Amino acid sequence: MRKLAVSTSILAFNFALFVPICGFAAPQSTPTLTVNIEQKGRGIEATSNSEVIIVSARRRDETAQSVPIALTAIGSEALSKRGAFSIQAVSTQVPTLQYTSSNPRNTALNIRGLGVSFGLANDGLEQGVGFYVDQVYNSRPAASAFDLLDIARVEILRGPQGTLFGKNTTAGAVSITTKLPSFDHEAEIEVSGGSAGFVQAKGVVSGPILKDHLAFRIAAGITQREGFIRLVPSNRLVNDLDNQAIRGQLLWVLEPSLKLRLVGDYNLSDADCCTQVYAGYGPTLRSAGRQFPALASALNYAPPSLNPYDRIADANAPIAARSELSGVSLIADKDLGGTALTLISAWRSWDWRPANDRDYTSLDILRQSANPVQQEQITHELRLASKGVQRLNYTIGLFAFRQKLKGQNVTEWGRDASFWLLGTATSNGTPIRSNLLDGYITRSNAVSTIDSRAAFAQVIWRASETITLTTGLRYTDEIKKADYAAQVEGGLATPNNALINAKLSIFRPQAYRVRFGDDAWTGDINLSWQPISSINLYVNYAKGFKSGGINLAGLPFNATNNPALDRAIISPEETQAYELGLKSQWFERRLTANVALFKSDVQDFQANVVDTGPGALRGYLANIEAVRSQGVELDLTLAPIQGLSAYLRTAFTDATYRSFKNAPCPLELIGNTTSSCDLSGKELPGTSPVALSLGAEYRWAAKAQKGEYYIGVDGTSRSSFFADASDSAYLKIRSYDLFNLRAGFTAEAGWEVFVLVRNVTDHDYMTLLTPQSGNSGFFSGVPGDPRTTQLTLRYHY
């Protein structure tokens, strides 16, 4: 309640400032509400031959085809009929967007191979893909792991958005727009049931409170499903779904030119998650006795299955993944005649409460490794923008962001850790007792704050009827502070220095305090040529900036077995991006064909890498000298022709480390004294060189039933990609092809029923691969979902 009171006070204060500026007066007559076009028709405006997608990629309402940048926009109807209730599902329809997650905290979004490196999460690392909901920036990637609810559209903006979406968008942005309250009574209910105990229910109600002045909208949903991984010997299914969400809105039209939108939401994910299964073993350069077969044999251990698609795991410690996300925002829009003034103020909170068995086996190596996090953020944005399509259009604004994050870590080693991680003797021959690390535990606390301020401006100049020049500039200034402290205790008490040092090689106490500032100029310049209304050719240059980072999970050790304090601060990341694109429509706009060629060069790329020490896999931040992503994207959309519609989206991406000479070694090259390898010229992780999404739908009238039948297919294909920053051959996810089928009936009376079959061929594929602690050659992973079915009934009033 205290947090809510504080956030409400902040929003009220901003409202008090905004209203005098706008010259508010009590309405003297009944106003006429003008609803933005993107809120009508579930995010699309239908024409006789095609669908015109309305987007706000440049903070103004425009058709997607008229915006001279590469983007993908998916409307509410397309999301609903494909059962896409998460960003992960959306990513299957957008080849250049890759979503990976081992749990909500360890979630990553990549666009064109850039965004964030794979690996263990580090709270000092910010995403390179900005995540926005109703124009509000969400700083933690966990925000993208929750269910989508009552969505008008999702926009995927590709490439740096260095002017209008300036907060850490070096790779692009995901912008979600929810539906507005309605001044007409409206209600929708959707209920689904399916295999693996899948149950999903969603409900929306909207309508007027005060005619033409005050409207409300309430949306709520739950999603539950059994897990697909079975734990032995408890015979319990884990990695399930247990999500809840609610969002409430008020739209207040104080006068025809002044509107306020107040939004509050609460999201909870409380699953028995997230464990991994045995995925394989690959020989390393370590001595035979220090590799998985010998270590497992000595401890009389065997995985419950050598086939990961049996989906059997034997983790023997509690697992949990409780994640709460909530917030409140105020959006005020004032029409000043030829210009529009917008104020957005928001408070958001995220609370992460995990538990896991980090060695993913019934061995007692890494008994627990939990990283609870509590995060709060406040954002303010003020924009002044010209209206309509003028010879000269502009947007200017100010942005402020403050985040406070608190993280705690508890890592405990077990009775098998000494033998598995250290062996039977120290380097000087001192015998190591088997219980040396039993109960050895480290507890740490990290507190960090970020203060960011920015000013920005974008100008769109129509030089002629066919040529448009767009320029943008943004100045960002940031200050970051952090305190980190870790203590150790437990394990075998011993006066022997060799054994003490052996314990400390696993983890030793460390503490540091960091404060630094960054500032940067970013922006873009775009030249477009539209010889006819259906052709738009453009060239674009953009500069992106991602502020420096702070290692908040402890530092790796140097050659003297001390924390490497020089790695506490990570340098800023800068991107130079070039794009040449064509947006076109043919055959009376029945066929939309868009193509983009792109190249992005990143200096000081921020990656989350893993050290090669004997103990836990300690993830830490590091700068990579240079990386490059280049390629071509093609989007084809066929508007309905006699009931048949289709789409094809494909991306060819060449993303590589241009210079990474001090990289973590791949698992197969790790020896007893291995420290680093040169990965220059190798592929970036998490990037499929070839990715494809396609689909088709056929509809036909059912006059007797007063409605339409339909059948559709959607597919996604991704070539193989590395699941680890080291580019280990053992940690490369094989290519896969997935297809979903759906069939249903839509009635004129407002109800719809359909059947959806996901992964119809029951294809086996992996979504994640992870090396186990100790570099024994053992690696675990998460298999993708098998074939599932669901039946959905929806009614809209």
Side-chain angles (χ1 to χ4, degrees):
M1 293 299 293
R2 182 187 66 82
K3 294 179 180 178
L4 182 59
V6 170
S7 59
T8 304
S9 299
I10 293 170
L11 299 181
F13 174 74
N14 280 279
F15 171 61
L17 291 177
F18 184 80
V19 170
I21 293 173
C22 297
F24 163 69
Q28 301 298 315
S29 59
T30 302
T32 300
L33 177 68
T34 301
V35 180
N36 289 339
I37 193 170
E38 73 270 18
Q39 300 295 339
K40 296 180 179 179
R42 301 188 178 186
I44 61 174
E45 177 192 12
T47 68
S48 59
N49 296 327
S50 63
E51 292 178 339
V52 180
I53 305 294
I54 303 299
V55 299
S56 54
R58 296 194 294 186
R59 299 303 198 190
R60 58 181 66 240
D61 295 340
E62 302 172 284
T63 64
Q65 284 299 105
S66 68
V67 180
I69 62 172
L71 64 88
T72 301
I74 302 176
S76 172
E77 182 66 22
L79 294 171
S80 297
K81 68 185 181 182
R82 296 184 178 104
F85 61 87
S86 66
I87 291 295
Q88 181 177 16
V90 169
S91 69
T92 65
Q93 302 176 45
V94 185
T96 50
L97 174 67
Q98 195 134 351
Y99 175 99
T100 59
S101 180
S102 60
N103 59 50
R105 178 173 175 263
N106 284 38
T107 297
L109 293 172
N110 277 17
I111 293 178
R112 294 175 171 173
L114 303 175
V116 66
S117 179
F118 278 33
L120 301 175
N122 191 309
D123 296 315
L125 179 67
E126 298 186 71
Q127 293 270 339
V129 175
F131 189 78
Y132 293 78
V133 179
D134 288 331
Q135 306 180 67
V136 175
Y137 173 67
N138 287 251
S139 67
R140 306 316 302 166
S144 63
F146 290 91
D147 285 0
L148 300 176
L149 179 67
D150 199 28
I151 302 300
R153 68 178 183 275
V154 177
E155 298 173 41
I156 313 299
L157 312 179
R158 309 196 288 270
Q161 308 298 312
T163 301
L164 301 179
F165 293 82
K167 177 61 182 169
N168 291 332
T169 54
T170 52
V174 176
S175 179
I176 296 173
T177 301
T178 65
K179 295 180 180 179
L180 282 171
S182 170
F183 280 85
D184 296 321
H185 290 286
E186 179 183 351
E188 181 171 296
I189 187 169
E190 177 180 308
V191 179
S192 301
S195 53
F198 178 79
V199 175
Q200 187 175 72
K202 300 178 184 179
V204 178
V205 61
S206 185
I209 298 176
L210 182 62
K211 184 179 179 181
D212 296 328
H213 290 298
L214 185 63
F216 77 96
R217 190 177 190 92
I218 298 175
I222 62 168
T223 302
Q224 295 182 341
R225 192 210 66 199
E226 295 175 349
F228 292 114
I229 294 180
R230 186 173 299 278
L231 277 182
V232 294
S234 66
N235 202 35
R236 183 165 60 98
L237 291 172
V238 295
N239 290 18
D240 58 347
L241 295 177
D242 188 0
N243 303 332
Q244 304 170 35
I246 185 168
R247 181 188 299 111
Q249 299 187 60
L250 291 175
L251 179 62
W252 188 12
V253 182
L254 287 88
E255 57 180 84
S257 62
L258 179 58
K259 303 167 190 175
L260 302 179
R261 182 185 181 192
L262 183 65
V263 184
D265 67 276
Y266 174 79
N267 304 268
L268 172 65
S269 177
D270 193 13
D272 288 333
C273 187
C274 301
T275 195
Q276 300 183 22
V277 301
Y278 174 91
Y281 154 74
T284 73
L285 299 182
R286 305 187 76 183
S287 58
R290 302 304 303 154
Q291 298 196 44
F292 178 75
L295 293 170
S297 177
L299 294 176
N300 197 30
Y301 172 76
S305 173
L306 298 181
N307 182 359
Y309 303 112
D310 287 339
R311 297 179 171 83
I312 299 175
D314 62 346
N316 58 351
I319 61 170
R322 182 181 178 85
S323 185
E324 290 183 86
L325 182 75
S326 58
V328 60
S329 63
L330 174 68
I331 304 173
D333 289 296
K334 172 65 176 178
D335 189 340
L336 300 175
T339 59
L341 184 64
T342 300
L343 170 70
I344 306 164
S345 288
W347 166 85
R348 300 206 60 78
S349 174
W350 174 55
D351 190 4
W352 165 242
R353 302 286 175 179
N356 60 75
D357 180 351
R358 186 58 183 82
D359 59 52
Y360 302 123
T361 71
S362 60
L363 292 168
D364 192 16
I365 302 171
L366 195 52
R367 191 172 292 164
Q368 62 170 323
S369 179
N371 296 271
V373 177
Q374 303 84 48
Q375 179 259 357
E376 288 188 74
Q377 67 170 66
I378 295 173
T379 57
H380 304 292
E381 185 167 351
L382 182 66
R383 295 197 307 267
L384 183 67
S386 60
K387 294 174 56 182
V389 180
Q390 311 295 332
R391 185 70 178 267
L392 192 70
N393 283 93
Y394 62 86
T395 300
I396 59 175
L398 300 171
F399 175 80
F401 167 83
R402 179 175 176 83
Q403 172 186 279
K404 186 170 184 178
L405 184 146
K406 297 179 180 178
Q408 307 84 43
N409 171 268
V410 178
T411 301
E412 183 180 4
W413 290 266
R415 62 181 178 274
D416 297 323
S418 298
F419 174 71
W420 197 274
L421 302 176
L422 298 175
T424 57
T426 66
S427 58
N428 68 357
T430 302
I432 295 178
R433 296 275 296 275
S434 62
N435 62 343
L436 179 66
L437 295 178
D438 190 7
Y440 190 57
I441 189 170
T442 175
R443 293 183 174 88
S444 66
N445 287 278
V447 178
S448 71
T449 59
I450 301 175
D451 286 289
S452 178
R453 298 166 294 275
F456 57 89
Q458 184 181 75
V459 175
I460 303 173
W461 176 43
R462 290 174 56 87
S464 70
E465 289 298 317
T466 61
I467 297 176
T468 302
L469 177 67
T470 304
T471 60
L473 191 64
R474 187 182 189 102
Y475 175 73
T476 303
D477 179 73
E478 295 197 344
I479 296 176
K480 293 189 176 184
K481 296 182 289 186
D483 286 282
Y484 176 85
Q487 300 295 327
V488 296
E489 61 182 61
L492 177 66
T494 175
N496 188 292
N497 285 333
L499 296 181
I500 292 173
N501 288 331
K503 291 171 64 176
L504 292 176
S505 71
I506 298 299
F507 203 92
R508 65 175 60 218
Q510 53 179 289
Y512 48 92
R513 177 173 295 176
V514 176
R515 184 185 189 278
F516 71 98
D518 286 328
D519 68 310
W521 291 94
T522 58
D524 50 26
I525 183 168
N526 181 291
L527 182 64
S528 64
W529 178 46
Q530 194 168 9
I532 58 176
S533 61
S534 59
I535 301 291
N536 192 354
L537 181 66
Y538 67 90
V539 59
N540 187 74
Y541 165 80
K543 181 180 180 182
F545 164 79
K546 188 165 75 168
S547 56
I550 301 175
N551 272 304
L552 288 180
L555 300 175
F557 301 138
N558 56 27
T560 61
N561 211 18
N562 289 306
L565 296 177
D566 60 325
R567 301 186 188 181
I569 297 177
I570 311 306
S571 298
E573 178 180 301
E574 294 186 359
T575 301
Q576 309 275 347
Y578 308 85
E579 184 175 307
L580 176 64
L582 171 66
K583 292 189 169 184
S584 64
Q585 292 183 309
W586 307 87
F587 309 114
E588 298 182 329
R589 301 184 186 272
R590 296 182 186 277
L591 176 66
T592 298
N594 299 335
V595 62
L597 286 78
F598 64 89
K599 184 178 79 168
S600 295
D601 284 313
V602 186
Q603 301 294 321
D604 291 324
F605 181 73
Q606 298 171 358
N608 194 349
V609 301
V610 175
D611 74 352
T612 54
L617 292 172
R618 288 183 289 273
Y620 68 95
L621 299 180
N623 287 112
I624 296 172
E625 294 92 335
V627 305
R628 172 174 289 173
S629 173
Q630 57 189 356
V632 59
E633 301 158 342
L634 175 66
D635 291 4
L636 300 175
T637 304
L638 179 67
I641 299 177
Q642 296 184 345
L644 178 65
S645 59
Y647 69 91
L648 170 67
R649 305 184 184 114
T650 185
F652 301 90
T653 307
D654 174 28
T656 58
Y657 297 116
R658 292 192 64 201
S659 178
F660 195 12
K661 298 177 181 178
N662 191 31
C665 286
L667 199 58
E668 58 271 24
L669 296 183
I670 292 179
N672 294 331
T673 60
T674 304
S675 58
S676 65
C677 291
D678 186 353
L679 295 182
S680 301
K682 301 293 185 180
E683 294 179 25
L684 282 175
T687 306
S688 294
V690 181
L692 177 72
S693 299
L694 75 167
E697 182 180 87
Y698 179 65
R699 288 179 173 264
W700 66 97
K703 294 182 180 180
Q705 290 79 21
K706 295 184 179 181
E708 276 188 329
Y709 290 104
Y710 63 86
I711 185 170
V713 60
D714 297 281
T716 183
S717 175
R718 293 194 182 272
S719 62
S720 59
F721 60 92
F722 291 106
D724 183 81
S726 69
D727 278 8
S728 171
Y730 304 144
L731 304 177
K732 192 169 190 177
I733 293 178
R734 297 197 307 266
S735 60
Y736 57 84
D737 306 296
L738 305 175
F739 292 94
N740 303 334
L741 290 178
R742 51 191 163 81
F745 176 76
T746 301
E748 294 178 1
W751 61 269
E752 179 181 5
V753 61
F754 68 86
V755 175
L756 174 65
V757 183
R758 295 186 177 90
N759 191 6
V760 66
T761 62
D762 202 21
H763 182 66
D764 288 335
Y765 67 105
M766 300 297 291
T767 63
L768 192 74
L769 293 173
T770 305
Q772 190 207 37
S773 300
N775 300 313
S776 67
F778 164 81
F779 54 97
S780 57
V782 178
D785 293 350
R787 179 173 52 236
T788 61
T789 60
Q790 80 176 61
L791 175 67
T792 296
L793 177 64
R794 181 188 303 128
Y795 177 73
H796 180 82
Y797 167 75

